[in-house]
Amino acid sequence: MAFDLASLRHRLPSSPVTRFAPSPTGYLHLGHVANAIFVWGIARALGGRVVLRIEDHDRGRSRPDYERAILDDLEWLGLLPDIGTMEELRVGASKFRQSDNGPVYDKALAVLSRNGRTYACDCSRKDIAAEGGDPFNEETRYSGRCRERGLGPGPGYGLRLLIEPGAETFLDANLGATSQEPELQCGDLLLRDRLENWTYQFAVVVDDIRHGVDLVIRGEDLLASTGRQIRLTRLLGRERPPVFLHHPLIRRPDGAKLSKSSGDTGVAELRRAGASASTVLGRAAWLTGLIDQPADVPADRVGTFFER
Ligand SMILES: [Zn+2]
């Protein structure tokens, strides 16, 4: 048993509000399904509730047909939100879709800008890569090049948040005590890019606050983002950040992470090939180590992985 919720329970809120938050930049694949099993399963085991949020902050890459396909696949799997409804997302604007909520992010940005903590930046990815030379830093840290340049704001400029030095220490429910220094990892955080898309880091923190999320359940690949999101949460006025639980990812036999381009693992493909929803859920549970061998798992049983 790779995952023992009983031993982590004291670190988790009781009756948590958690979320499943796909980006409609591709179709649902087994990696998403694995995350969904953790999200719905842990929520069920703890008497919690799930928010379904469409993270389409990147307007250039998000597509309505991907969103419809994601909703269809989730409904087929039997994974429905407890807060908000599928129907609401299908018929029109919703507070659970980022692109419908521009004013919410404007307001949050105003809070951060109030004390002169934000500034305009015209650096391209290329500029930043050319400046950042730390080979031990997995992501390219922003040097603060535009801090004192007094640019914009205006069209064609991104907006950054000044990140002060200092560690963010948190107790990851699964991985234990963790400490990260956002200023050393990423430097001043991009809130809105040059094409006026809100960034993932910013939008997700604003959303977790407004949706009342107190438990974030996601894959280990997002662990590095946690310290900066906790910092941002506090700067936006929420003293108690959510509890974070980072779970193992599904890996292909060659060790590579699953991606949206992995056609053989798409939920729609598996569906078309005749797999049942229980089979798809069971396969994802098996690939992430929740069960020792593939077995059919109906959606109303995903809580049992975490109830022992
Ligand atoms: Zn810059």
Side-chain angles (χ1 to χ4, degrees):
M1 178 67 199
F3 198 88
D4 177 17
L5 191 72
S7 65
L8 313 177
R9 229 170 229 263
H10 64 288
R11 295 175 175 170
L12 299 169
S14 54
S15 311
V17 174
T18 186
R19 37 64 160 199
F20 183 69
S23 292
T25 55
Y27 297 107
L28 221 57
H29 60 67
L30 287 180
H32 296 113
V33 179
N35 175 240
I37 290 173
F38 277 92
V39 168
W40 266 276
I42 291 173
R44 294 289 171 266
L46 297 177
R49 289 173 297 161
V50 178
V51 171
L52 172 61
R53 177 199 303 155
I54 301 297
E55 297 204 338
D56 60 349
H57 54 92
D58 185 337
R59 288 165 305 169
R61 290 174 59 223
S62 297
R63 282 173 24 191
D65 53 322
Y66 284 140
E67 181 185 318
R68 276 193 299 276
I70 289 170
L71 297 180
D72 288 349
D73 284 345
L74 284 174
E75 212 156 2
W76 177 76
L77 287 166
L79 300 172
L80 303 175
D82 305 304
I83 299 173
T85 62
M86 289 280 184
E87 189 53 22
E88 168 184 352
L89 286 164
R90 287 187 192 281
V91 296
S94 163
K95 67 173 175 174
F96 299 109
R97 182 186 296 105
Q98 292 176 332
S99 63
D100 293 330
N101 290 278
V104 171
Y105 306 109
D106 286 331
K107 220 169 128 189
L109 178 64
V111 171
L112 297 175
S113 299
R114 215 164 35 202
N115 305 316
R117 269 197 284 250
T118 58
Y119 62 89
C121 163
D122 66 356
C123 297
S124 64
R125 262 175 214 273
K126 229 169 116 187
D127 294 336
I128 295 167
E131 283 222 334
D134 179 357
F136 298 107
N137 198 342
E138 280 183 23
E139 56 186 324
T140 308
R141 178 182 174 277
Y142 179 67
S143 67
R145 177 174 170 261
C146 299
R147 259 191 200 188
E148 311 295 337
R149 291 176 67 204
L151 299 172
Y157 293 109
L159 265 178
R160 287 188 185 271
L161 174 69
L162 274 168
I163 296 290
E164 307 285 347
E168 291 296 335
T169 302
F170 55 95
L171 186 66
D172 185 278
N174 186 33
L175 305 174
T178 309
S179 182
Q180 297 174 349
E181 291 200 43
E183 196 267 334
L184 299 178
Q185 284 178 300
C186 58
D188 293 345
L189 202 59
L190 194 64
L191 304 175
R192 201 172 64 198
D193 71 17
R194 296 189 302 161
L195 302 171
E196 302 195 354
N197 291 302
W198 300 109
T199 59
Y200 159 73
Q201 303 287 356
F202 177 63
V204 85
V205 169
V206 173
D207 289 343
D208 284 340
I209 294 173
R210 74 195 176 103
H211 293 152
V213 169
D214 60 3
L215 174 61
V216 174
I217 300 169
R218 60 189 185 187
E220 284 171 359
D221 55 336
L222 285 165
L223 179 65
S225 290
T226 309
R228 71 197 69 167
Q229 291 181 0
I230 289 173
R231 177 78 58 90
L232 202 41
T233 301
R234 290 216 186 84
L235 291 173
L236 285 168
R238 177 172 165 183
E239 269 315 306
R240 242 182 115 105
V243 173
F244 288 84
L245 186 156
H246 290 90
H247 61 73
L249 298 174
I250 283 187
R251 292 190 181 268
R252 299 174 69 83
D254 61 5
K257 204 180 111 189
L258 281 190
S259 77
K260 290 170 193 189
S261 58
S262 311
D264 55 329
T265 63
V267 174
E269 281 89 346
L270 293 165
R271 237 173 117 170
R272 270 198 298 275
S276 71
S278 311
T279 303
V280 172
L281 287 169
R283 191 164 136 78
W286 167 62
L287 285 168
T288 197
L290 284 169
I291 41 178
D292 295 332
Q293 38 199 315
D296 282 7
V297 178
D300 61 4
R301 302 283 296 159
V302 293
T304 57
F305 294 126
F306 307 99
E307 274 163 3
R308 56 199 103 193

